[in-house]
Structure formats: structure tokens, C-alpha cells
Amino acid sequence: MAATSSNANPASAFYAGNRTAQALGALLRAVDSVAPAWGTRAALRLFFTPLPWKLAARRALPAAWSATAWPFEGASLVAYRRNDVGADRPRVLLVHGWAGSGMQMCALGDALADAGFDPVLLDFPGHGRSAGWHSTLPQFARAIYAAASRLGALHAVVAHSLGAVAAMHAAARGAPAARLVLVAPSAPPALFLRWFAGSFGLADSVPQRMRERIEGREGVDLAEFEPDWLGARVAQPCLIVHDEGDRVAPFAGGQRLAHALSGARLHPTQGLGHRRVLDDASVADAVVRHLRT
């Protein structure tokens, strides 16, 4: 299978920037060519590993925030809260995307605190200060559900990238959140599996083999993360913030979600890309307005 260009395949641009991933990709191509079962396992190992590793992505903890650890699936999740915010405010859970961390959501968290909310930033498994070195999208969704169970009914979940897909799934499965904000939502996993395999020039059969192993391991059909499945089950008012020039999660994905979710409104931006959108003041204003209406 010919390598897919980065213009057609956002995953190519992501993995091409990481030399370690490229070296591992060459190795798994060789393994898959002689032993497909082992090749599938090796591909999943890489697919489940956030790159760059969490120590490189970890941000310093601002003085206004403190961290606490919660038990989760035999390990721990780390959450961050503002020291000067009372527990009587409407609570908002903020979650990051793949290879990110809760501290990436700090600017939005500060804006929400200033607007009268109680923001809680979460590190997903294998990310930030949470335990582990690997994670999966279904595990992201379970972590959101676990956080909601611990925190009580949430006024909203504000989620970035892959975390946005997990947040929709958690909401569709009954997580108690009155509103959703999806910032730069990523492509559904079935599509990203094809991008992942294409970025390393893997055989066309690899994405399906990976999907079958993920579904068997996690006990969930990946079709449940598709816009059509989610659109029939997510009833919360939803704001979708997406930059038209996003090279990691193409804008067309946000448009598709806005069409699929009956209570969704699309807020396009320009020039902010996939990550700078989290730190933009006008985006924070739009999020606050959505949570106040």
C-alpha cells in the first residue's frame, strides 16, 4: 500500500514529526510482512501510546491550581482544581485530547473560574500526571464517566480533540452533563485507524484487524463513536468550536458533527489551528456564553 500524503492524511503529519514513531513504524511494517498477528499487536502497541510521551508534554502546575489523584481501573487519574473556587459553583469538567494533558485546558479553566464556574481539569490515563503509559478512546470515555460519578452532576463537559469524541460517547451512555463544548473534535476512530495505517504504509487489512482487537479488548463497537450513532443519542445543547484550517482534525469533521447532533451549534475560527484554539480569548468568551445560556 502506498504511503498516503500528509495533505490527505492528517495522521501522516502528526507521526512524521516524531522520529521515534517513524523508527517504530518501519519495524512494525517488517513484522507485519512476515507475521500479521504480531504485526497487528505491534501496531496497536504504537497506536495506544501517546507520542510525545507524557513527561515531554507535562506542563508546570500554576500556583492557582492544585492536583488530586482518584482511583481508576486499578491505577489513578489526576484532576486539577482552582484553590480559590468554592464547591457551590456549577461544575465543569475539562478534558484534553490524545498526547495532551489537563493543563492544556488551563486558559479555558481560568476563564470559566472568572465567570463563576468551578472548573475541573482531568488528565486521561497515560497522560499528564495520571498513571500509565498507554490508553484508548473507550478508556477516555470511561474516565469521563468515572469523573462525573465522583464529582456529581456536571453543568458541562468541555473537551478537546479525541477527548471531544470520548465526551460525546460518555454523554450518550448517560454521563450526567447538562451541556457539551467540543473543541476541534477529532475524526472517529475507524477513520483514524485508516489514517494511522496509511501514514506508515501498512497493508490495507491492518486497520480492520486493529479494529477487531480493540473492540474485543474494550467491549465496545467502534461504530458507537461515529457521528450518526452519537447524533441519535446526544441530546445536550452542544457548542462545536473548530478552526477552518485545522490540520490535525479537519474542519469537515466538525461540520459533520454539527449536522448530526440536533442540539449543536458550530462556531468556526480562523488562524488558530488545532491547539492554539484552546488559549484564544474569543473562544473562551464563546464557551462562557454557551454555558450561561
Side-chain angles (χ1 to χ4, degrees):
M1 162 176 165
T4 307
S5 73
S6 61
N7 289 333
N9 182 348
S12 290
F14 176 76
Y15 286 105
N18 189 293
R19 293 182 180 179
T20 301
Q22 285 296 298
L24 291 172
L27 176 61
L28 67 87
R29 280 197 305 274
V31 172
D32 190 66
S33 68
V34 297
W38 284 99
T40 303
R41 291 173 186 164
L44 283 172
R45 187 73 172 178
L46 177 57
F47 189 69
F48 292 157
T49 303
L51 295 171
W53 284 287
K54 64 180 184 178
L55 295 180
R58 186 177 292 176
R59 295 188 177 189
L61 189 63
W65 293 82
S66 59
T68 186
W70 302 332
F72 176 74
E73 297 188 353
S76 64
L77 294 175
V78 171
Y80 309 90
R81 303 185 81 163
R82 279 270 296 254
N83 300 321
D84 57 346
V85 170
D88 57 339
R89 295 183 178 193
R91 192 160 296 128
V92 179
L93 180 68
L94 295 95
V95 296
H96 59 84
W98 190 252
S101 69
M103 280 292 104
Q104 284 184 311
M105 311 297 288
C106 191
L108 277 172
D110 285 334
L112 291 176
D114 292 343
F117 296 96
D118 175 14
V120 181
L121 319 183
L122 184 69
D123 281 339
F124 280 128
H127 293 73
R129 292 173 173 82
S130 288
W133 297 93
H134 310 284
S135 194
T136 69
L137 172 58
Q139 192 178 40
F140 274 26
R142 294 196 302 272
I144 292 173
Y145 206 102
S149 297
R150 175 170 288 270
L151 295 169
L154 300 169
H155 182 74
V157 177
V158 179
H160 180 235
S161 194
L162 193 68
V165 181
M168 286 186 286
H169 190 265
R173 286 295 187 184
R179 292 179 173 272
L180 297 176
V181 177
L182 312 175
V183 183
S186 68
L191 177 56
F192 201 87
L193 281 170
R194 296 198 297 273
W195 287 346
F196 172 87
S199 69
F200 293 119
L202 298 175
D204 291 335
S205 62
V206 171
Q208 182 59 33
R209 284 188 265 138
M210 293 175 68
R211 175 174 182 161
E212 290 170 358
R213 284 187 176 269
I214 292 170
E215 291 177 339
R217 165 181 163 160
E218 300 294 332
V220 60
D221 190 331
L222 293 189
E224 293 188 10
F225 296 91
E226 295 288 338
D228 291 343
W229 190 94
L230 295 166
R233 294 164 176 84
V234 175
Q236 292 90 337
C238 177
L239 174 68
I240 301 171
V241 180
H242 213 141
D243 194 82
E244 293 177 355
D246 192 326
R247 297 173 60 187
V248 176
F251 182 67
Q255 292 176 307
R256 184 182 174 191
L257 278 176
H259 178 75
L261 303 176
S262 61
R265 178 172 61 87
L266 181 62
H267 178 84
T269 65
Q270 293 82 36
L272 297 176
H274 189 66
R275 296 191 185 275
R276 292 193 306 277
V277 67
L278 295 173
D279 299 320
D280 184 76
S282 64
V283 168
D285 288 343
V287 171
V288 169
R289 287 196 301 272
H290 176 69
L291 299 192
R292 281 178 169 169
T293 56

